[in-house]
Each structure stands twice: as C-alpha cells, then as structure tokens.
Amino acid sequence: MRTDWRKQTALFLASQTISVFGTSLVQYAITWYITLRTQSGAMVAVSIICGFVPTFLVSPFAGVWADRYPRKTLIIVSDSSIAVATLILALLFRAGHQGLWLLFVASAIRAFGSAVQSPAVRAILPQFVPEDQLMKVNATNSSIHSAVSLVSPMVSGALLAWAGIGSVFMVDVVTAAIAVLILAFALKVPAHAKASAPRSGSYLDDLRTGLSYVKNESYLIRFFGHNIAFLLLVTPLAFLTPLQVARSFGEDVWRLTAIEIAFSGGMILGGIVMAVWGGLRNRVHTMVLSNFSIGILTVALGLVPFFWVYLGLMAVCGMSLPVFHAPSTVILQQRVEDDFRGRVFGLLGMISGSMMPLGMLLFGPLADAVKIEWLLLGTGLLISVQALVMLGDKVLVSAGIPPTESA
C-alpha cells in the first residue's frame, strides 16, 4: 500500500510540474510581449486584471465543484480547457491575428481554468497520501513549483526571442497534453464520497453550506483572518522590492534578475528543508516561526545599505515562505472534512488571489509618496506583531496539533 501511494504521488506531482511549467512559460511570455509591444503600464495592468478577476469570482464556485465532482476529472477538464484556448490563440497568432485583445481574453480563460483547478489539486492529495506524509509531499511540491518559477522565465525569454510567442503557446499545449495523459491513464484515484453520492441541492445551496461550515469552525475564521492580514502586509516585500532596488542600488537589469533568482532559490531550499524536517510538532508554531522571520527580514531589507547583503536577505525570505505555506496547507488537509475540503480551499484561493492586488491599491500609490524602505520597516514590524498575535490565539494553536495527537 505504501508503495502504491508513493507511485501515485510521484505521478501526480510529475503531471502538475509539467502543467505548471507550460502555464508559467505562457504567463511570462504574455506579460513580456505586452510590455515590449506597448511600453504601457496601463496595458500590463489590464492583463493582470484579466488574470485576477476570474480567479476572484470563480474560486468559491470552483470549491463547490471540487466537492461535487471527481477531483481528478476537474483537473483534467481544466487543464484541457486551458490547452485548447492556448492552441486556438497560437493558431490565430500564426495566421496573423495578433491583437492585444486576444491576449487579454486568453489570460481570462486561463485564469478561469486555473481557478477551477487549484482547489481540486489541494483537496485531492489527502485521498491518496497518508496523513503523516502530507507535510513532506506539500513541501516537495512547493520546492518543485519554486524550481519551475526559477527556470521558466529564462526558458520563456529565450523562446520569445528566438522563436516568437506562438512557439511558447505551442509548448504549453504539449505540456498540458502530457499532464492530462498522465492523470487520465496512469493516476488511479477513486472519486471521493460526496462525488459518488446522489446529488441534492443546487450550487448555491452547496456554497451556502460551505460558508456555514467555515463560520461554525472557529479555527477556520481565525485561520483566514491571519492569512488576510499576512498577505496584505507582505505586499511591499512581494511587489515593491524590485522598485526599491532600482531606486536605491541601481537600475541594472542584473540586479533585478539577481533578487528574483535569490528569492526563488531560497524557496526551493525552504521546501527541501520542510520536506526533510517536517516543521515543529504544532503546525501553527511553524507558521508563527515563518511569519516572525519574514517580519524581521522585511525590516532588515528596509535598513541594509549593501546590495550583496540585501541579496542574502532575499534568499532567506524565500526560504521562509514554504515554512508558512506547507503547514498551513496541511492544517486544512487534515482538519477539514473531505466533503467540504474543496470549498474551503476555494475560499482560500479567492483570498490568496485577491489580497496582494488589493494591497497594491494602498501600497502602490504610497510608494510614490514615501520611501519604500519606510514601507518595509512599517509592514515588517506589523508582520512580527501579527505573528505574536497568532501565537497567542489558543483556538488556532489548538488546531495546529496533528489530529492523531489531539484525538
């Protein structure tokens, strides 16, 4: 049985790695193509909005679908839909139809497919991964995604320069097809209980039931509240540090590339550390450790005067993120009932996809009025305080104890 779950996990992670690699190639290619063709921040913003709005609107319903239907089927359908949309886009571009509106529509369709896929991917893992192995698997998955994030910009840039954006689209079609074939014919995951049962009620009924479940589970209210606070406060670290580097250290492209590589490399290492270490006994204590570290590091990024030290701090920041995300995912996978897991992850996807863009509505204009260093100092201190508040939240800390130990 253990050999079987290891094989199923390896197949699943392989399919997701291939799929995410192709998706990442296209995301970078679309952004860079629009940037180089228009030199317009407004057009780039429109592209980002086209990718953000569908995710925000669809995620709650996607969570309902992940609970009503077989999750493997949902992942296959969403991957296939994204591939078909990308194939049509590639054919239109090769035929000479290269209007920007096509890229905006494609971004929206791809965002819709990704929003449908995300809660199904997170919810399906406990169906074949033993509970005591969830941390290792999630951390490994985090490292793989970080590695893809490190490699895909370079591959996408090379393909865009040498073969054109149409070739990038075709690579994504091929990778999606490979991922779908692995899922369809190699991965053996039976449908979860709710998907196999006779359906009763409407989508809205299921959505309301899911929201009631979250409302009645006090640890979930606190969990989402702390996530919202953290994501808002981490916005300057996530989005404004390249601008800080350009203003304070120089506008050299290599500097911007270096901080991206340092951050992604740190995330890879952080995922490996979590896969080997597994975190503290209490999942919430591990999240607190990550949050507090990120808070202190954010303050340091606002103070350090030397670029090479700054680069090292960015790498450690990257290491700290999997230390937060892996245990937070495992808490939901272990604590949330299987019938509600898709809806809970759908709500988390809506929060994760919206908080930092909303945060930029505040911090973006502020960055033009005050020094980014001051924003990093302020948000870093608040993140550290929020970590201490989380540590004192007895309901949430109690939920961080693995169910096998708290039973």
Side-chain angles (χ1 to χ4, degrees):
M1 183 66 181
R2 294 186 68 83
T3 303
D4 184 64
W5 82 259
R6 291 179 188 279
K7 177 183 176 182
Q8 297 302 303
T9 301
L11 288 168
F12 182 77
L13 293 183
S15 72
Q16 289 304 294
T17 301
I18 294 167
S19 174
V20 169
F21 177 67
T23 298
S24 187
L25 288 183
V26 172
Q27 286 174 340
Y28 280 109
I30 288 177
T31 300
W32 291 341
Y33 182 85
I34 292 172
T35 300
L36 295 173
R37 180 171 166 180
T38 68
Q39 300 287 310
S40 169
M43 289 296 100
V44 174
V46 170
S47 176
I48 292 172
I49 290 170
C50 287
F52 154 66
V53 172
T55 301
F56 179 78
L57 295 177
V58 173
S59 288
F61 295 96
V64 173
W65 297 332
D67 287 335
R68 286 174 70 102
Y69 303 109
R71 289 157 184 162
K72 189 179 86 167
T73 302
L74 274 178
I75 298 170
I76 290 172
V77 169
S78 59
D79 248 345
S80 300
S81 300
I82 293 171
V84 169
T86 306
L87 177 60
I88 293 172
L89 184 62
L91 295 175
L92 287 171
F93 260 68
R94 294 202 171 192
H97 305 286
Q98 300 186 359
L100 290 181
W101 69 270
L102 286 172
L103 295 178
F104 297 149
V105 171
S107 293
I109 294 173
R110 292 172 62 82
F112 179 91
S114 296
V116 171
Q117 186 183 79
S118 180
V121 167
R122 292 181 175 183
I124 199 175
L125 278 174
Q127 291 180 226
F128 56 89
V129 177
E131 191 173 284
D132 63 341
Q133 298 295 325
L134 281 170
M135 180 69 79
K136 181 177 292 186
V137 171
N138 279 289
T140 301
N141 195 31
S142 175
S143 285
I144 291 171
H145 280 232
S146 300
V148 169
S149 298
L150 182 63
V151 172
S152 56
M154 295 180 279
V155 177
S156 182
L159 285 173
L160 193 61
W162 296 338
I165 194 168
S167 297
V168 181
F169 294 152
M170 291 307 300
V171 170
D172 185 39
V173 173
V174 173
T175 55
I178 294 171
V180 166
L181 289 173
I182 292 173
L183 288 174
F185 297 106
L187 187 70
K188 308 298 182 184
V189 181
H192 54 290
K194 185 176 175 62
S196 304
R199 292 197 231 303
S200 59
S202 66
Y203 290 111
L204 290 179
D205 289 335
D206 275 4
L207 181 58
R208 281 192 290 267
T209 304
L211 292 175
S212 295
Y213 177 82
V214 172
K215 182 180 178 181
N216 293 330
E217 297 287 342
S218 56
Y219 79 91
L220 284 177
I221 297 293
R222 289 167 162 79
F223 179 90
F224 288 130
H226 284 294
N227 267 269
I228 289 170
F230 175 70
L231 290 169
L232 286 173
L233 292 172
V234 84
T235 300
L237 172 66
F239 288 111
L240 295 179
T241 44
L243 183 57
Q244 179 201 12
V245 167
R247 289 178 180 177
S248 301
F249 297 107
E251 298 181 4
D252 312 272
V253 174
W254 72 266
R255 294 183 190 273
L256 301 181
T257 305
I259 62 171
E260 293 296 333
I261 292 174
F263 192 80
S264 296
M267 287 187 66
I268 294 172
L269 185 57
I272 294 172
V273 168
M274 284 303 297
V276 174
W277 171 43
L280 301 170
R281 186 181 71 85
N282 189 302
R283 312 295 191 204
V284 173
H285 289 167
T286 309
M287 294 167 62
V288 169
L289 174 64
S290 170
N291 272 26
F292 193 76
S293 299
I294 290 172
I296 297 301
L297 289 165
T298 302
V299 170
L301 288 171
L303 294 173
V304 64
F306 306 110
F307 180 69
W308 292 109
V309 178
Y310 186 97
L311 208 59
L313 292 173
M314 286 296 291
V316 182
C317 276
M319 283 184 62
S320 300
L321 276 183
V323 180
F324 176 84
H325 288 304
S328 66
T329 300
V330 171
I331 287 175
L332 298 186
Q333 288 173 336
Q334 290 183 331
R335 288 283 177 180
V336 176
E337 296 176 28
D338 191 40
D339 286 354
F340 293 93
R341 198 176 290 137
R343 277 164 283 184
V344 170
F345 275 118
L347 183 58
L348 179 62
M350 184 179 72
I351 291 171
S352 301
S354 61
M355 286 303 107
M356 285 198 284
L358 290 175
M360 277 301 289
L361 294 178
L362 169 65
F363 292 113
L366 271 178
D368 291 331
V370 300
K371 293 178 68 174
I372 295 174
E373 283 80 359
W374 288 107
L375 295 181
L376 293 173
L377 287 171
T379 54
L381 289 172
L382 289 175
I383 290 171
S384 300
V385 171
Q386 185 247 337
L388 296 177
V389 172
M390 187 188 301
L391 184 62
D393 190 329
K394 294 182 179 179
V395 173
L396 185 61
V397 169
S398 177
I401 302 172
T404 52
E405 295 184 24
S406 59

